[in-house]
Amino acid sequence: AQSVTQPDIHITVSEGASLELRCNYSYGATPYLFWYVQSPGQGLQLLLKYFSGDTLVQGIKGFEAEFKRSQSSFNLRKPSVHWSDAAEYFCAVGGFTGGGNKLTFGTGTQLKVEL
Amino acid sequence: AAGVIQSPRHLIKEKRETATLKCYPIPRHDTVYWYQQGPGQDPQFLISFYEKMQSDKGSIPDRFSAQQFSDYHSELNMSSLELGDSALYFCASSFSGHNYEQYFGPGTRLTVT
């Protein structure tokens, strides 16, 4: 069964500082990996995705993530955080399971940005 | 660009009542997914449909049922509601030719009292 671990429940960074959110996955084949962001009471917005090819993927809002197969990781990074980045971030793994492409989410990382 | 539409956005029901949530996928998307997100929890997959047929099933209670109609919209029917059903219910849609990307709607917040 596929699973995702986000070891950091809460992270606080200062505005302008760099950010790295960790994500480890478990999946039997080549995974499809995603990062979503959710503001309070809002829906899930896709930040970026990895299917194959270049292991460093660029997303919206200046985010990037690197797929490392050897470490089963897909960490999200941003060089300089803005106050508007405060939100909850979910890493997710998807893959065909014989009938669909359901996403399995991690438990999320709540990002707080200090001004 | 058109997004996934969910209605209603908020719903308050009493225990043992029924509720129907609706989802209108992005035009030309043929696959719909339902997820449940409890307070402080991550979204959990409930069920999905491709071309009006159930394609996958997750942790959906037997009290819930869903279907996808000929116009590709989907409805999640919930009966004998319990307090624990209070959650944010998301619908997502994708195109089978690009089945990896799921686009989420804003969610329906269901409160059971």
PDB file of all heavy atoms in Angstrom, chain A residues 2 4 44 90 102-108, chain B residues 33-38 40-48 57-61 64 76 87-91 102 104:
ATOM      1  N   GLN A   2       0.403   2.249  -0.687  1.00  0.00           N
ATOM      2  CA  GLN A   2       1.181   3.478  -0.748  1.00  0.00           C
ATOM      3  C   GLN A   2       0.978   4.283   0.519  1.00  0.00           C
ATOM      4  O   GLN A   2      -0.088   4.250   1.136  1.00  0.00           O
ATOM      5  CB  GLN A   2       0.766   4.299  -1.965  1.00  0.00           C
ATOM      6  CG  GLN A   2      -0.714   4.636  -2.025  1.00  0.00           C
ATOM      7  CD  GLN A   2      -1.166   4.999  -3.433  1.00  0.00           C
ATOM      8  OE1 GLN A   2      -0.979   4.227  -4.377  1.00  0.00           O
ATOM      9  NE2 GLN A   2      -1.742   6.174  -3.580  1.00  0.00           N
ATOM     10  N   VAL A   4       2.553   8.075   2.749  1.00  0.00           N
ATOM     11  CA  VAL A   4       3.358   9.289   2.735  1.00  0.00           C
ATOM     12  C   VAL A   4       3.612   9.719   4.172  1.00  0.00           C
ATOM     13  O   VAL A   4       2.685   9.703   4.995  1.00  0.00           O
ATOM     14  CB  VAL A   4       2.630  10.419   1.981  1.00  0.00           C
ATOM     15  CG1 VAL A   4       3.449  11.708   2.039  1.00  0.00           C
ATOM     16  CG2 VAL A   4       2.372  10.012   0.536  1.00  0.00           C
ATOM     17  N   LEU A  44      -7.673  22.598  -1.978  1.00  0.00           N
ATOM     18  CA  LEU A  44      -6.283  22.193  -2.187  1.00  0.00           C
ATOM     19  C   LEU A  44      -5.799  22.712  -3.539  1.00  0.00           C
ATOM     20  O   LEU A  44      -6.408  22.432  -4.570  1.00  0.00           O
ATOM     21  CB  LEU A  44      -6.182  20.673  -2.142  1.00  0.00           C
ATOM     22  CG  LEU A  44      -6.507  20.044  -0.797  1.00  0.00           C
ATOM     23  CD1 LEU A  44      -6.912  18.594  -0.955  1.00  0.00           C
ATOM     24  CD2 LEU A  44      -5.298  20.149   0.122  1.00  0.00           C
ATOM     25  N   PHE A  90       0.566  19.757   1.935  1.00  0.00           N
ATOM     26  CA  PHE A  90       0.374  18.311   1.891  1.00  0.00           C
ATOM     27  C   PHE A  90       1.179  17.714   0.749  1.00  0.00           C
ATOM     28  O   PHE A  90       1.089  18.165  -0.394  1.00  0.00           O
ATOM     29  CB  PHE A  90      -1.106  17.955   1.681  1.00  0.00           C
ATOM     30  CG  PHE A  90      -1.997  18.250   2.849  1.00  0.00           C
ATOM     31  CD1 PHE A  90      -2.730  19.420   2.901  1.00  0.00           C
ATOM     32  CD2 PHE A  90      -2.107  17.345   3.897  1.00  0.00           C
ATOM     33  CE1 PHE A  90      -3.568  19.698   3.978  1.00  0.00           C
ATOM     34  CE2 PHE A  90      -2.942  17.604   4.972  1.00  0.00           C
ATOM     35  CZ  PHE A  90      -3.663  18.783   5.007  1.00  0.00           C
ATOM     36  N   LYS A 102      -6.125   7.066  -7.079  1.00  0.00           N
ATOM     37  CA  LYS A 102      -6.383   7.812  -5.856  1.00  0.00           C
ATOM     38  C   LYS A 102      -5.091   8.380  -5.310  1.00  0.00           C
ATOM     39  O   LYS A 102      -4.005   7.831  -5.493  1.00  0.00           O
ATOM     40  CB  LYS A 102      -7.015   6.890  -4.818  1.00  0.00           C
ATOM     41  CG  LYS A 102      -6.088   5.779  -4.351  1.00  0.00           C
ATOM     42  CD  LYS A 102      -6.765   4.904  -3.321  1.00  0.00           C
ATOM     43  CE  LYS A 102      -5.824   3.809  -2.834  1.00  0.00           C
ATOM     44  NZ  LYS A 102      -6.485   2.916  -1.862  1.00  0.00           N
ATOM     45  N   LEU A 103      -5.226   9.504  -4.630  1.00  0.00           N
ATOM     46  CA  LEU A 103      -4.090  10.125  -3.963  1.00  0.00           C
ATOM     47  C   LEU A 103      -4.092   9.734  -2.497  1.00  0.00           C
ATOM     48  O   LEU A 103      -5.132   9.692  -1.850  1.00  0.00           O
ATOM     49  CB  LEU A 103      -4.189  11.647  -4.081  1.00  0.00           C
ATOM     50  CG  LEU A 103      -4.032  12.248  -5.487  1.00  0.00           C
ATOM     51  CD1 LEU A 103      -4.180  13.760  -5.426  1.00  0.00           C
ATOM     52  CD2 LEU A 103      -2.699  11.870  -6.094  1.00  0.00           C
ATOM     53  N   THR A 104      -2.904   9.452  -2.009  1.00  0.00           N
ATOM     54  CA  THR A 104      -2.708   9.237  -0.580  1.00  0.00           C
ATOM     55  C   THR A 104      -1.899  10.412  -0.062  1.00  0.00           C
ATOM     56  O   THR A 104      -0.807  10.687  -0.570  1.00  0.00           O
ATOM     57  CB  THR A 104      -1.970   7.921  -0.312  1.00  0.00           C
ATOM     58  OG1 THR A 104      -2.772   6.838  -0.800  1.00  0.00           O
ATOM     59  CG2 THR A 104      -1.722   7.733   1.168  1.00  0.00           C
ATOM     60  N   PHE A 105      -2.439  11.087   0.925  1.00  0.00           N
ATOM     61  CA  PHE A 105      -1.825  12.295   1.444  1.00  0.00           C
ATOM     62  C   PHE A 105      -1.031  12.006   2.713  1.00  0.00           C
ATOM     63  O   PHE A 105      -1.342  11.089   3.476  1.00  0.00           O
ATOM     64  CB  PHE A 105      -2.895  13.338   1.776  1.00  0.00           C
ATOM     65  CG  PHE A 105      -3.545  13.954   0.571  1.00  0.00           C
ATOM     66  CD1 PHE A 105      -4.617  13.332  -0.041  1.00  0.00           C
ATOM     67  CD2 PHE A 105      -3.092  15.154   0.063  1.00  0.00           C
ATOM     68  CE1 PHE A 105      -5.230  13.895  -1.158  1.00  0.00           C
ATOM     69  CE2 PHE A 105      -3.698  15.730  -1.050  1.00  0.00           C
ATOM     70  CZ  PHE A 105      -4.769  15.102  -1.658  1.00  0.00           C
ATOM     71  N   GLY A 106      -0.020  12.834   2.933  1.00  0.00           N
ATOM     72  CA  GLY A 106       0.625  12.864   4.226  1.00  0.00           C
ATOM     73  C   GLY A 106      -0.234  13.646   5.196  1.00  0.00           C
ATOM     74  O   GLY A 106      -1.274  14.198   4.832  1.00  0.00           O
ATOM     75  N   THR A 107       0.204  13.708   6.432  1.00  0.00           N
ATOM     76  CA  THR A 107      -0.597  14.355   7.470  1.00  0.00           C
ATOM     77  C   THR A 107      -0.473  15.864   7.442  1.00  0.00           C
ATOM     78  O   THR A 107      -1.145  16.556   8.199  1.00  0.00           O
ATOM     79  CB  THR A 107      -0.201  13.837   8.855  1.00  0.00           C
ATOM     80  OG1 THR A 107       1.217  13.904   8.980  1.00  0.00           O
ATOM     81  CG2 THR A 107      -0.660  12.398   9.050  1.00  0.00           C
ATOM     82  N   GLY A 108       0.374  16.375   6.570  1.00  0.00           N
ATOM     83  CA  GLY A 108       0.471  17.811   6.399  1.00  0.00           C
ATOM     84  C   GLY A 108       1.512  18.471   7.288  1.00  0.00           C
ATOM     85  O   GLY A 108       1.848  17.976   8.369  1.00  0.00           O
TER      86      GLY A 108
ATOM     87  N   TYR B  33     -13.229  12.217  -8.273  1.00  0.00           N
ATOM     88  CA  TYR B  33     -12.798  11.609  -7.016  1.00  0.00           C
ATOM     89  C   TYR B  33     -13.471  12.338  -5.858  1.00  0.00           C
ATOM     90  O   TYR B  33     -13.657  13.550  -5.916  1.00  0.00           O
ATOM     91  CB  TYR B  33     -11.281  11.744  -6.834  1.00  0.00           C
ATOM     92  CG  TYR B  33     -10.455  11.275  -8.000  1.00  0.00           C
ATOM     93  CD1 TYR B  33     -10.281  12.073  -9.123  1.00  0.00           C
ATOM     94  CD2 TYR B  33      -9.813  10.038  -7.978  1.00  0.00           C
ATOM     95  CE1 TYR B  33      -9.515  11.656 -10.192  1.00  0.00           C
ATOM     96  CE2 TYR B  33      -9.039   9.613  -9.041  1.00  0.00           C
ATOM     97  CZ  TYR B  33      -8.898  10.429 -10.146  1.00  0.00           C
ATOM     98  OH  TYR B  33      -8.137  10.009 -11.200  1.00  0.00           O
ATOM     99  N   TRP B  34     -13.762  11.617  -4.799  1.00  0.00           N
ATOM    100  CA  TRP B  34     -14.278  12.215  -3.567  1.00  0.00           C
ATOM    101  C   TRP B  34     -13.308  11.923  -2.423  1.00  0.00           C
ATOM    102  O   TRP B  34     -12.842  10.801  -2.264  1.00  0.00           O
ATOM    103  CB  TRP B  34     -15.652  11.644  -3.211  1.00  0.00           C
ATOM    104  CG  TRP B  34     -16.776  12.131  -4.079  1.00  0.00           C
ATOM    105  CD1 TRP B  34     -17.306  11.514  -5.170  1.00  0.00           C
ATOM    106  CD2 TRP B  34     -17.525  13.349  -3.916  1.00  0.00           C
ATOM    107  NE1 TRP B  34     -18.327  12.263  -5.696  1.00  0.00           N
ATOM    108  CE2 TRP B  34     -18.490  13.386  -4.944  1.00  0.00           C
ATOM    109  CE3 TRP B  34     -17.477  14.406  -2.989  1.00  0.00           C
ATOM    110  CZ2 TRP B  34     -19.393  14.439  -5.075  1.00  0.00           C
ATOM    111  CZ3 TRP B  34     -18.375  15.443  -3.133  1.00  0.00           C
ATOM    112  CH2 TRP B  34     -19.327  15.454  -4.169  1.00  0.00           C
ATOM    113  N   TYR B  35     -13.053  12.976  -1.641  1.00  0.00           N
ATOM    114  CA  TYR B  35     -12.189  12.862  -0.478  1.00  0.00           C
ATOM    115  C   TYR B  35     -12.901  13.470   0.730  1.00  0.00           C
ATOM    116  O   TYR B  35     -13.677  14.412   0.595  1.00  0.00           O
ATOM    117  CB  TYR B  35     -10.875  13.613  -0.686  1.00  0.00           C
ATOM    118  CG  TYR B  35      -9.965  13.036  -1.745  1.00  0.00           C
ATOM    119  CD1 TYR B  35     -10.144  13.357  -3.091  1.00  0.00           C
ATOM    120  CD2 TYR B  35      -8.922  12.177  -1.410  1.00  0.00           C
ATOM    121  CE1 TYR B  35      -9.318  12.836  -4.063  1.00  0.00           C
ATOM    122  CE2 TYR B  35      -8.073  11.652  -2.378  1.00  0.00           C
ATOM    123  CZ  TYR B  35      -8.291  11.983  -3.699  1.00  0.00           C
ATOM    124  OH  TYR B  35      -7.455  11.458  -4.667  1.00  0.00           O
ATOM    125  N   GLN B  36     -12.588  12.947   1.888  1.00  0.00           N
ATOM    126  CA  GLN B  36     -13.117  13.467   3.152  1.00  0.00           C
ATOM    127  C   GLN B  36     -11.958  13.951   4.009  1.00  0.00           C
ATOM    128  O   GLN B  36     -10.977  13.224   4.207  1.00  0.00           O
ATOM    129  CB  GLN B  36     -13.877  12.358   3.885  1.00  0.00           C
ATOM    130  CG  GLN B  36     -14.426  12.757   5.246  1.00  0.00           C
ATOM    131  CD  GLN B  36     -14.885  11.535   6.037  1.00  0.00           C
ATOM    132  OE1 GLN B  36     -14.115  10.612   6.265  1.00  0.00           O
ATOM    133  NE2 GLN B  36     -16.154  11.536   6.440  1.00  0.00           N
ATOM    134  N   GLN B  37     -12.072  15.184   4.502  1.00  0.00           N
ATOM    135  CA  GLN B  37     -11.032  15.724   5.383  1.00  0.00           C
ATOM    136  C   GLN B  37     -11.642  16.120   6.706  1.00  0.00           C
ATOM    137  O   GLN B  37     -12.358  17.120   6.813  1.00  0.00           O
ATOM    138  CB  GLN B  37     -10.332  16.934   4.736  1.00  0.00           C
ATOM    139  CG  GLN B  37      -9.155  17.456   5.556  1.00  0.00           C
ATOM    140  CD  GLN B  37      -8.469  18.637   4.902  1.00  0.00           C
ATOM    141  OE1 GLN B  37      -9.084  19.404   4.181  1.00  0.00           O
ATOM    142  NE2 GLN B  37      -7.172  18.794   5.165  1.00  0.00           N
ATOM    143  N   GLY B  38     -11.368  15.328   7.734  1.00  0.00           N
ATOM    144  CA  GLY B  38     -11.840  15.646   9.073  1.00  0.00           C
ATOM    145  C   GLY B  38     -11.035  16.786   9.664  1.00  0.00           C
ATOM    146  O   GLY B  38      -9.969  17.138   9.147  1.00  0.00           O
ATOM    147  N   GLY B  40      -8.442  18.944  11.237  1.00  0.00           N
ATOM    148  CA  GLY B  40      -7.041  18.712  11.517  1.00  0.00           C
ATOM    149  C   GLY B  40      -6.461  17.460  10.885  1.00  0.00           C
ATOM    150  O   GLY B  40      -5.369  17.023  11.268  1.00  0.00           O
ATOM    151  N   GLN B  41      -7.164  16.878   9.949  1.00  0.00           N
ATOM    152  CA  GLN B  41      -6.717  15.629   9.316  1.00  0.00           C
ATOM    153  C   GLN B  41      -6.296  15.858   7.869  1.00  0.00           C
ATOM    154  O   GLN B  41      -6.544  16.925   7.301  1.00  0.00           O
ATOM    155  CB  GLN B  41      -7.851  14.594   9.350  1.00  0.00           C
ATOM    156  CG  GLN B  41      -8.398  14.316  10.733  1.00  0.00           C
ATOM    157  CD  GLN B  41      -7.364  13.653  11.609  1.00  0.00           C
ATOM    158  OE1 GLN B  41      -6.693  12.706  11.200  1.00  0.00           O
ATOM    159  NE2 GLN B  41      -7.211  14.141  12.825  1.00  0.00           N
ATOM    160  N   ASP B  42      -5.663  14.847   7.287  1.00  0.00           N
ATOM    161  CA  ASP B  42      -5.362  14.912   5.866  1.00  0.00           C
ATOM    162  C   ASP B  42      -6.552  14.357   5.086  1.00  0.00           C
ATOM    163  O   ASP B  42      -7.358  13.600   5.626  1.00  0.00           O
ATOM    164  CB  ASP B  42      -4.089  14.107   5.553  1.00  0.00           C
ATOM    165  CG  ASP B  42      -4.205  12.664   6.016  1.00  0.00           C
ATOM    166  OD1 ASP B  42      -4.184  12.443   7.244  1.00  0.00           O
ATOM    167  OD2 ASP B  42      -4.325  11.780   5.143  1.00  0.00           O
ATOM    168  N   PRO B  43      -6.683  14.732   3.846  1.00  0.00           N
ATOM    169  CA  PRO B  43      -7.800  14.211   3.033  1.00  0.00           C
ATOM    170  C   PRO B  43      -7.681  12.704   2.852  1.00  0.00           C
ATOM    171  O   PRO B  43      -6.609  12.175   2.584  1.00  0.00           O
ATOM    172  CB  PRO B  43      -7.633  14.943   1.706  1.00  0.00           C
ATOM    173  CG  PRO B  43      -6.808  16.140   2.018  1.00  0.00           C
ATOM    174  CD  PRO B  43      -5.878  15.717   3.120  1.00  0.00           C
ATOM    175  N   GLN B  44      -8.817  12.036   3.000  1.00  0.00           N
ATOM    176  CA  GLN B  44      -8.875  10.582   2.826  1.00  0.00           C
ATOM    177  C   GLN B  44      -9.747  10.263   1.613  1.00  0.00           C
ATOM    178  O   GLN B  44     -10.866  10.750   1.480  1.00  0.00           O
ATOM    179  CB  GLN B  44      -9.481   9.923   4.074  1.00  0.00           C
ATOM    180  CG  GLN B  44      -8.646  10.072   5.331  1.00  0.00           C
ATOM    181  CD  GLN B  44      -7.390   9.225   5.305  1.00  0.00           C
ATOM    182  OE1 GLN B  44      -7.398   8.076   4.874  1.00  0.00           O
ATOM    183  NE2 GLN B  44      -6.281   9.793   5.765  1.00  0.00           N
ATOM    184  N   PHE B  45      -9.225   9.397   0.758  1.00  0.00           N
ATOM    185  CA  PHE B  45      -9.945   9.019  -0.458  1.00  0.00           C
ATOM    186  C   PHE B  45     -11.180   8.198  -0.122  1.00  0.00           C
ATOM    187  O   PHE B  45     -11.118   7.251   0.670  1.00  0.00           O
ATOM    188  CB  PHE B  45      -8.999   8.228  -1.360  1.00  0.00           C
ATOM    189  CG  PHE B  45      -9.659   7.602  -2.553  1.00  0.00           C
ATOM    190  CD1 PHE B  45     -10.039   8.375  -3.634  1.00  0.00           C
ATOM    191  CD2 PHE B  45      -9.899   6.236  -2.589  1.00  0.00           C
ATOM    192  CE1 PHE B  45     -10.643   7.800  -4.736  1.00  0.00           C
ATOM    193  CE2 PHE B  45     -10.500   5.651  -3.684  1.00  0.00           C
ATOM    194  CZ  PHE B  45     -10.877   6.435  -4.762  1.00  0.00           C
ATOM    195  N   LEU B  46     -12.288   8.563  -0.741  1.00  0.00           N
ATOM    196  CA  LEU B  46     -13.534   7.821  -0.545  1.00  0.00           C
ATOM    197  C   LEU B  46     -13.849   6.926  -1.737  1.00  0.00           C
ATOM    198  O   LEU B  46     -14.026   5.714  -1.594  1.00  0.00           O
ATOM    199  CB  LEU B  46     -14.697   8.781  -0.316  1.00  0.00           C
ATOM    200  CG  LEU B  46     -14.685   9.601   0.975  1.00  0.00           C
ATOM    201  CD1 LEU B  46     -15.894  10.539   1.022  1.00  0.00           C
ATOM    202  CD2 LEU B  46     -14.668   8.698   2.194  1.00  0.00           C
ATOM    203  N   ILE B  47     -13.960   7.530  -2.917  1.00  0.00           N
ATOM    204  CA  ILE B  47     -14.423   6.783  -4.079  1.00  0.00           C
ATOM    205  C   ILE B  47     -14.110   7.578  -5.340  1.00  0.00           C
ATOM    206  O   ILE B  47     -13.956   8.802  -5.275  1.00  0.00           O
ATOM    207  CB  ILE B  47     -15.941   6.493  -3.957  1.00  0.00           C
ATOM    208  CG1 ILE B  47     -16.387   5.392  -4.922  1.00  0.00           C
ATOM    209  CG2 ILE B  47     -16.745   7.770  -4.120  1.00  0.00           C
ATOM    210  CD1 ILE B  47     -17.795   4.862  -4.614  1.00  0.00           C
ATOM    211  N   SER B  48     -14.013   6.887  -6.469  1.00  0.00           N
ATOM    212  CA  SER B  48     -13.782   7.580  -7.733  1.00  0.00           C
ATOM    213  C   SER B  48     -14.604   6.932  -8.841  1.00  0.00           C
ATOM    214  O   SER B  48     -14.997   5.771  -8.750  1.00  0.00           O
ATOM    215  CB  SER B  48     -12.295   7.559  -8.103  1.00  0.00           C
ATOM    216  OG  SER B  48     -11.832   6.232  -8.285  1.00  0.00           O
ATOM    217  N   LYS B  57     -12.337   2.395  -4.869  1.00  0.00           N
ATOM    218  CA  LYS B  57     -13.094   2.604  -3.645  1.00  0.00           C
ATOM    219  C   LYS B  57     -12.140   2.622  -2.472  1.00  0.00           C
ATOM    220  O   LYS B  57     -11.239   1.781  -2.374  1.00  0.00           O
ATOM    221  CB  LYS B  57     -14.124   1.485  -3.467  1.00  0.00           C
ATOM    222  CG  LYS B  57     -15.164   1.732  -2.406  1.00  0.00           C
ATOM    223  CD  LYS B  57     -16.226   0.628  -2.462  1.00  0.00           C
ATOM    224  CE  LYS B  57     -17.300   0.857  -1.422  1.00  0.00           C
ATOM    225  NZ  LYS B  57     -18.337  -0.203  -1.471  1.00  0.00           N
ATOM    226  N   GLY B  58     -12.346   3.623  -1.609  1.00  0.00           N
ATOM    227  CA  GLY B  58     -11.493   3.718  -0.432  1.00  0.00           C
ATOM    228  C   GLY B  58     -12.298   3.485   0.817  1.00  0.00           C
ATOM    229  O   GLY B  58     -13.138   2.606   0.878  1.00  0.00           O
ATOM    230  N   SER B  59     -12.067   4.311   1.809  1.00  0.00           N
ATOM    231  CA  SER B  59     -12.710   4.122   3.107  1.00  0.00           C
ATOM    232  C   SER B  59     -14.070   4.790   3.168  1.00  0.00           C
ATOM    233  O   SER B  59     -14.342   5.603   4.046  1.00  0.00           O
ATOM    234  CB  SER B  59     -11.791   4.664   4.202  1.00  0.00           C
ATOM    235  OG  SER B  59     -11.379   5.983   3.893  1.00  0.00           O
ATOM    236  N   ILE B  60     -14.929   4.447   2.262  1.00  0.00           N
ATOM    237  CA  ILE B  60     -16.264   5.046   2.234  1.00  0.00           C
ATOM    238  C   ILE B  60     -17.225   4.179   3.036  1.00  0.00           C
ATOM    239  O   ILE B  60     -17.317   2.967   2.812  1.00  0.00           O
ATOM    240  CB  ILE B  60     -16.750   5.238   0.773  1.00  0.00           C
ATOM    241  CG1 ILE B  60     -18.112   5.947   0.745  1.00  0.00           C
ATOM    242  CG2 ILE B  60     -16.781   3.917   0.018  1.00  0.00           C
ATOM    243  CD1 ILE B  60     -18.533   6.401  -0.647  1.00  0.00           C
ATOM    244  N   PRO B  61     -17.936   4.780   4.003  1.00  0.00           N
ATOM    245  CA  PRO B  61     -18.881   3.992   4.810  1.00  0.00           C
ATOM    246  C   PRO B  61     -20.013   3.456   3.935  1.00  0.00           C
ATOM    247  O   PRO B  61     -20.362   4.023   2.903  1.00  0.00           O
ATOM    248  CB  PRO B  61     -19.414   5.019   5.818  1.00  0.00           C
ATOM    249  CG  PRO B  61     -18.447   6.154   5.805  1.00  0.00           C
ATOM    250  CD  PRO B  61     -17.867   6.185   4.437  1.00  0.00           C
ATOM    251  N   PHE B  64     -22.838   5.669   2.815  1.00  0.00           N
ATOM    252  CA  PHE B  64     -22.617   6.627   1.731  1.00  0.00           C
ATOM    253  C   PHE B  64     -22.698   5.906   0.392  1.00  0.00           C
ATOM    254  O   PHE B  64     -22.275   4.749   0.255  1.00  0.00           O
ATOM    255  CB  PHE B  64     -21.222   7.263   1.847  1.00  0.00           C
ATOM    256  CG  PHE B  64     -20.995   8.134   3.048  1.00  0.00           C
ATOM    257  CD1 PHE B  64     -21.936   8.260   4.052  1.00  0.00           C
ATOM    258  CD2 PHE B  64     -19.810   8.847   3.167  1.00  0.00           C
ATOM    259  CE1 PHE B  64     -21.714   9.069   5.162  1.00  0.00           C
ATOM    260  CE2 PHE B  64     -19.573   9.660   4.266  1.00  0.00           C
ATOM    261  CZ  PHE B  64     -20.518   9.765   5.263  1.00  0.00           C
ATOM    262  N   LEU B  76     -22.617  12.684  -4.107  1.00  0.00           N
ATOM    263  CA  LEU B  76     -22.293  11.841  -2.958  1.00  0.00           C
ATOM    264  C   LEU B  76     -23.493  11.896  -2.028  1.00  0.00           C
ATOM    265  O   LEU B  76     -23.852  12.968  -1.541  1.00  0.00           O
ATOM    266  CB  LEU B  76     -21.031  12.352  -2.257  1.00  0.00           C
ATOM    267  CG  LEU B  76     -20.593  11.617  -0.987  1.00  0.00           C
ATOM    268  CD1 LEU B  76     -20.166  10.193  -1.316  1.00  0.00           C
ATOM    269  CD2 LEU B  76     -19.444  12.372  -0.311  1.00  0.00           C
ATOM    270  N   ALA B  87     -17.174  17.097   8.386  1.00  0.00           N
ATOM    271  CA  ALA B  87     -15.877  17.172   7.710  1.00  0.00           C
ATOM    272  C   ALA B  87     -16.005  18.072   6.496  1.00  0.00           C
ATOM    273  O   ALA B  87     -17.094  18.539   6.155  1.00  0.00           O
ATOM    274  CB  ALA B  87     -15.415  15.771   7.272  1.00  0.00           C
ATOM    275  N   LEU B  88     -14.860  18.284   5.865  1.00  0.00           N
ATOM    276  CA  LEU B  88     -14.807  18.981   4.590  1.00  0.00           C
ATOM    277  C   LEU B  88     -14.734  17.905   3.512  1.00  0.00           C
ATOM    278  O   LEU B  88     -13.876  17.022   3.572  1.00  0.00           O
ATOM    279  CB  LEU B  88     -13.570  19.888   4.564  1.00  0.00           C
ATOM    280  CG  LEU B  88     -13.423  20.959   3.496  1.00  0.00           C
ATOM    281  CD1 LEU B  88     -14.624  21.881   3.480  1.00  0.00           C
ATOM    282  CD2 LEU B  88     -12.154  21.746   3.744  1.00  0.00           C
ATOM    283  N   TYR B  89     -15.661  17.936   2.574  1.00  0.00           N
ATOM    284  CA  TYR B  89     -15.696  16.934   1.517  1.00  0.00           C
ATOM    285  C   TYR B  89     -15.243  17.579   0.215  1.00  0.00           C
ATOM    286  O   TYR B  89     -15.841  18.543  -0.269  1.00  0.00           O
ATOM    287  CB  TYR B  89     -17.112  16.354   1.382  1.00  0.00           C
ATOM    288  CG  TYR B  89     -17.475  15.494   2.556  1.00  0.00           C
ATOM    289  CD1 TYR B  89     -17.966  16.067   3.729  1.00  0.00           C
ATOM    290  CD2 TYR B  89     -17.277  14.120   2.525  1.00  0.00           C
ATOM    291  CE1 TYR B  89     -18.260  15.285   4.835  1.00  0.00           C
ATOM    292  CE2 TYR B  89     -17.574  13.328   3.619  1.00  0.00           C
ATOM    293  CZ  TYR B  89     -18.064  13.917   4.774  1.00  0.00           C
ATOM    294  OH  TYR B  89     -18.351  13.131   5.861  1.00  0.00           O
ATOM    295  N   PHE B  90     -14.174  17.026  -0.323  1.00  0.00           N
ATOM    296  CA  PHE B  90     -13.620  17.548  -1.556  1.00  0.00           C
ATOM    297  C   PHE B  90     -13.978  16.643  -2.726  1.00  0.00           C
ATOM    298  O   PHE B  90     -13.971  15.418  -2.610  1.00  0.00           O
ATOM    299  CB  PHE B  90     -12.094  17.627  -1.482  1.00  0.00           C
ATOM    300  CG  PHE B  90     -11.575  18.716  -0.608  1.00  0.00           C
ATOM    301  CD1 PHE B  90     -10.951  18.411   0.585  1.00  0.00           C
ATOM    302  CD2 PHE B  90     -11.694  20.043  -0.983  1.00  0.00           C
ATOM    303  CE1 PHE B  90     -10.463  19.417   1.403  1.00  0.00           C
ATOM    304  CE2 PHE B  90     -11.205  21.056  -0.174  1.00  0.00           C
ATOM    305  CZ  PHE B  90     -10.589  20.736   1.017  1.00  0.00           C
ATOM    306  N   CYS B  91     -14.226  17.280  -3.826  1.00  0.00           N
ATOM    307  CA  CYS B  91     -14.320  16.587  -5.089  1.00  0.00           C
ATOM    308  C   CYS B  91     -13.122  17.032  -5.928  1.00  0.00           C
ATOM    309  O   CYS B  91     -12.713  18.186  -5.867  1.00  0.00           O
ATOM    310  CB  CYS B  91     -15.629  16.957  -5.778  1.00  0.00           C
ATOM    311  SG  CYS B  91     -15.776  16.354  -7.465  1.00  0.00           S
ATOM    312  N   GLN B 102      -4.976  15.786 -10.492  1.00  0.00           N
ATOM    313  CA  GLN B 102      -6.317  15.980  -9.958  1.00  0.00           C
ATOM    314  C   GLN B 102      -6.471  17.427  -9.528  1.00  0.00           C
ATOM    315  O   GLN B 102      -5.646  17.956  -8.790  1.00  0.00           O
ATOM    316  CB  GLN B 102      -6.562  15.057  -8.776  1.00  0.00           C
ATOM    317  CG  GLN B 102      -6.591  13.578  -9.159  1.00  0.00           C
ATOM    318  CD  GLN B 102      -6.855  12.678  -7.993  1.00  0.00           C
ATOM    319  OE1 GLN B 102      -7.524  13.045  -7.033  1.00  0.00           O
ATOM    320  NE2 GLN B 102      -6.332  11.465  -8.059  1.00  0.00           N
ATOM    321  N   PHE B 104      -8.791  20.042  -7.516  1.00  0.00           N
ATOM    322  CA  PHE B 104      -9.746  19.986  -6.418  1.00  0.00           C
ATOM    323  C   PHE B 104     -10.714  21.151  -6.447  1.00  0.00           C
ATOM    324  O   PHE B 104     -10.359  22.288  -6.791  1.00  0.00           O
ATOM    325  CB  PHE B 104      -9.009  19.985  -5.077  1.00  0.00           C
ATOM    326  CG  PHE B 104      -8.407  18.659  -4.741  1.00  0.00           C
ATOM    327  CD1 PHE B 104      -7.240  18.227  -5.353  1.00  0.00           C
ATOM    328  CD2 PHE B 104      -9.018  17.813  -3.814  1.00  0.00           C
ATOM    329  CE1 PHE B 104      -6.691  16.983  -5.056  1.00  0.00           C
ATOM    330  CE2 PHE B 104      -8.468  16.581  -3.507  1.00  0.00           C
ATOM    331  CZ  PHE B 104      -7.309  16.163  -4.131  1.00  0.00           C
TER     332      PHE B 104
END
